[in-house]
Amino acid sequence: MSSETQARRIVLAARPQGEPKNTDFRLEGFAVPAPGPGQVLLKTRFLSLDPYMRGRMNDSKSYAPSVALNDPMVGEVVAEVVDSQLDGFARGEHVLAHLGWVSHGLSDGKGLRKIDADQAPLQSYLGVLGMPGFTAYAGLREIGKPRAGETVVVAAASGPVGSLVGQLAQRAGARAVGIAGGARKCQFVKDVLGFDAVLDHRAEDFPAALAAACPDGIDVYFENVGGAVWQAVFPLLNPFGRVPVCGLIADYNGSPALPDGISVPALMRGILTRSLSIRGFINYDLDTLFPDFLAEVGAGVRDGSVLHREDIVDGLENAPQAFIGLLKGSNFGKLLVKVAD
Ligand code: NDP
């Protein structure tokens, strides 16, 4: 039995127009539910905040359903089993669950994955050892396919996807060029993660600086952001270049008007004449690679050869503000909310 009686959740109060506002979310209290036969009661320890959640706030067709108004925001959590009426799950065990922005929830066990706090810190299963880390691994291995001596470019390079893309590219013998926002993130990407070069996408001379940092052109561009960064990258792509299209965060709040954008005919001509491969992917479509990912990246995290950074915000009530910031780069590392000790 859980001794707590009061639970909390954050629901979608309104569909944002452009950048989300605090008033698009609402914090609600509810009674901690009791598990019935075949159920477990879960208590959230960490909630993962991820860019894809912005798309779920829209009422438009996509690869996954929208969040309904007044429903809890979707999201993956690390949770503790606090009460169990389900065989195979015991009190005190930790699981990954798609519980949403909630402090407590029930599950019938479907989709739960047990995790081991002795192998790695609990929250890392939401970051470097979780969905974002796997996204980097799978997109690079299946689509990017970096080879020794090639140049791999990735933006959002201090975040959970980008930071691993660069490190895995270097493991393959490629040169890793990172793009990040601001001096602090750039310094981290170069000096701590050890990328070969780093550029600030907010710098005025960014396109010229990127060209100078890639004297042999770009062989793999791991697309995390779109927008102005893509505009600067496209002319530099080498023949037979590969572009795993992973995310387009610059556009998630609505596409800003860009001067000198690439026209569709120019884009198609570039794809044809340079024999480019541009392929979108959603991480779970490549899930057969998950065991390889866990073995390889898990070993790297344990022996310290794979580095990562986390940005942990305290308290479920602070999730909306942290999420609003994520969409414009206020986070520095994998963004997590510590919901309970
Ligand atoms: P991060 O934790 O790195 O956070 C997003 C970062 O994007 C911000 O910190 C900011 O970094 C950068 N950013 C925001 N706006 C812009 C902009 N206009 N131009 C350039 N950079 C910008 O995120 P993740 O590592 O979790 O995700 C990275 C990308 O991967 C996202 O697009 C996400 O949607 C996508 N993704 C796709 C998945 C899939 O299955 N296809 C799965 C997981 C993630 P900075 O301050 O350095 O600019």
Side-chain angles (χ1 to χ4, degrees):
M1 280 281 292
S2 166
S3 55
E4 288 174 290
T5 55
Q6 267 303 303
R8 296 183 310 155
R9 64 185 167 219
I10 291 175
V11 302
L12 179 64
R15 297 206 183 278
Q17 304 298 321
E19 193 179 314
K21 302 184 293 297
N22 272 310
T23 48
D24 296 329
F25 304 88
R26 189 174 59 246
L27 179 65
E28 293 181 342
F30 65 105
V32 172
Q39 290 186 320
V40 283
L41 173 63
L42 300 174
K43 177 175 171 168
T44 301
R45 298 277 304 273
F46 291 96
L47 163 67
S48 176
L49 293 180
D50 295 277
Y52 76 84
M53 294 166 173
R54 177 63 186 84
R56 305 293 167 86
M57 299 174 83
N58 295 336
D59 189 16
S60 52
K61 197 167 179 290
S62 187
Y63 63 94
S66 308
V67 176
L69 281 177
N70 303 314
D71 270 5
M73 287 289 294
V74 289
E76 195 174 23
V77 305
V78 163
E80 184 177 337
V81 177
V82 288
D83 196 355
S84 178
Q85 300 222 30
L86 178 61
D87 286 346
F89 288 88
R91 228 183 127 172
E93 287 184 321
H94 289 100
V95 294
L96 281 175
H98 289 274
L99 224 49
W101 296 24
V102 300
S103 67
H104 296 77
L106 296 175
S107 168
D108 60 6
K110 282 200 195 83
L112 296 187
R113 199 181 114 217
K114 287 192 190 180
I115 53 175
D116 186 351
D118 293 335
Q119 291 293 316
L122 283 176
Q123 72 276 11
S124 65
Y125 292 95
L126 295 168
V128 66
L129 293 180
M131 185 279 282
F134 175 64
T135 299
Y137 179 89
L140 201 62
R141 179 166 147 182
E142 187 73 13
I143 305 168
K145 298 184 167 62
R147 291 185 287 262
E150 289 190 329
T151 297
V152 175
V153 173
V154 65
S158 67
V161 177
S163 61
L164 190 56
V165 166
Q167 293 177 77
L168 293 175
Q170 286 180 322
R171 282 188 171 206
R175 215 174 139 251
V177 177
I179 298 168
R184 226 159 57 102
K185 288 184 179 180
C186 287
Q187 191 194 8
F188 170 75
V189 170
K190 183 84 172 44
D191 298 345
V192 179
L193 297 179
F195 280 38
D196 298 281
V198 67
L199 291 312
D200 185 345
H201 66 89
R202 297 205 199 112
E204 244 175 54
D205 64 344
F206 166 69
L210 180 65
C214 302
D216 300 325
I218 297 172
D219 301 292
V220 178
Y221 172 55
F222 195 101
E223 175 62 293
N224 273 341
V225 301
V229 173
W230 164 244
Q231 309 274 356
V233 163
F234 183 67
L236 304 176
L237 286 169
N238 285 332
F240 300 99
R242 285 88 66 201
V243 182
V245 181
C246 172
L248 300 167
I249 193 167
D251 299 334
Y252 290 175
N253 285 332
S255 300
L258 284 172
D260 307 324
I262 307 157
S263 69
V264 174
L267 175 70
M268 296 305 279
R269 194 166 55 247
I271 293 172
L272 170 65
T273 58
R274 283 182 271 161
S275 301
L276 301 176
S277 300
I278 301 182
R279 178 181 154 194
F281 74 102
I282 304 296
N283 63 86
Y284 47 71
D285 292 332
L286 303 174
D287 61 3
T288 52
L289 299 176
F290 201 78
D292 290 358
F293 156 72
L294 266 193
E296 192 176 329
V297 178
V301 170
R302 278 192 297 278
D303 70 19
S305 61
V306 169
L307 302 174
H308 63 108
R309 184 184 164 106
E310 291 162 348
D311 183 343
I312 303 181
V313 172
D314 227 350
L316 183 64
E317 66 282 6
N318 294 316
Q321 194 52 51
F323 176 67
I324 292 166
L326 171 72
L327 297 168
K328 43 189 183 191
S330 308
N331 65 308
F332 188 3
K334 170 63 202 150
L335 186 59
L336 298 151
V337 180
K338 189 178 186 187
V339 178
D341 282 326

